[in-house]
Amino acid sequence: MENVFIMDHPLIQHKISMIRKKETGTNEFRKLIEEIAVLMGYEALRDLPLEDVEVETPLETCMTPMIAGKKLAVVPVLRAGLGMVNGITTLVPSAKIGHIGLYRDPETHEPHEYYCKLPDPIDQRQIVMVDPMLATGGSAVAAVNFIKQHGGKKIKCMFIIAAPEGLKRLHEAHPDVQIYIGHMDRELNEHAYICPGLGDAGDRIFGTK
Ligand code: PRP
Ligand code: URA
């Protein structure tokens, strides 16, 4: 599938297996989510544009490549996406950060918006939307809709675990968006949870429930 990238790095796979374990506590879970975001970000950002700039070394002046263009924008989908932000800013410390607040209705599984604040202007920036889970895809489609409504054009989405249903829905709704997935899981259950998954990502990151 064009614009869909499934990670196969062994370190990413190993760490995803660690976060699946039900006995992995909040502290370790948070650290692992951040580490996975670093590793996935490293892969997802390999096509960032470069431009040659003049630099003076202790020996001479040279032209040398640096990241070109406006500062990148990281956009976590609240709450669970917050756990991935530091992973991306470890790689790109100058990144701006936007927030999109969405929660899934427990009955209908439909996303509800409660907050949206993005760096302005957004149209020229590379945007990296982050959320650990892509389940039905409802939240991701809504989040990308918001970003596009605000003028966002160059959009990458990163998910640590995805269900086939969610990937299909997001890719069909936004075929221009580059989608990065740590691991493709089997299916959704009747409560729209990803199986085998890791449970509720927000609760596991923030220690709620
Ligand atoms: C989770 C997750 C995604 C969403 C995925 O958030 O972080 O945003 O569910 O589900 P979907 O693909 O079916 O829309 P949740 O709604 O549980 O909110 P929370 O992060 O605040 O706990
Ligand atoms: N949100 C989660 O946190 N986990 C799932 O399995 C599905 C949606």
Side-chain angles (χ1 to χ4, degrees), residues 178-198:
Q178 293 173 303
I179 305 171
Y180 297 85
I181 291 170
H183 196 274
M184 280 307 300
D185 271 20
R186 196 181 65 246
E187 62 186 355
L188 296 178
N189 68 13
E190 67 276 23
H191 304 294
Y193 271 82
I194 302 175
C195 296
L198 50 71

Side-chain angles (χ1 to χ4, degrees), residues 115-203:
Y115 190 76
C116 183
K117 180 87 181 163
L118 300 174
D120 188 26
I122 192 94
D123 56 318
Q124 299 298 313
R125 293 182 201 281
Q126 175 63 64
I127 298 157
V128 181
M129 193 196 98
V130 291
D131 191 335
M133 310 303 272
L134 178 63
T136 65
S139 305
V141 169
V144 174
N145 286 342
F146 282 136
I147 293 171
K148 288 187 172 174
Q149 280 159 18
H150 283 79
K153 293 189 175 70
K154 296 188 279 181
I155 307 171
K156 293 175 186 280
C157 292
M158 280 176 46
F159 306 95
I160 295 178
I161 293 180
E165 297 90 331
L167 174 58
K168 184 168 182 290
R169 185 164 167 189
L170 177 59
H171 184 61
E172 281 178 4
H174 296 291
D176 56 305
V177 167
Q178 293 173 303
I179 305 171
Y180 297 85
I181 291 170
H183 196 274
M184 280 307 300
D185 271 20
R186 196 181 65 246
E187 62 186 355
L188 296 178
N189 68 13
E190 67 276 23
H191 304 294
Y193 271 82
I194 302 175
C195 296
L198 50 71
D200 187 302
D203 283 342

Side-chain angles (χ1 to χ4, degrees), residues 6 11 14 16 26 29 35 37 76 82 87 92 102 130 133 154-155 170 178 181 190-192 203-204 206:
I6 317 276
L11 287 173
H14 180 86
I16 291 176
T26 303
F29 192 90
E35 287 168 15
L82 285 174
V92 188
L102 291 172
V130 291
M133 310 303 272
K154 296 188 279 181
I155 307 171
L170 177 59
Q178 293 173 303
I181 291 170
E190 67 276 23
H191 304 294
D203 283 342
R204 296 199 61 185
F206 295 106

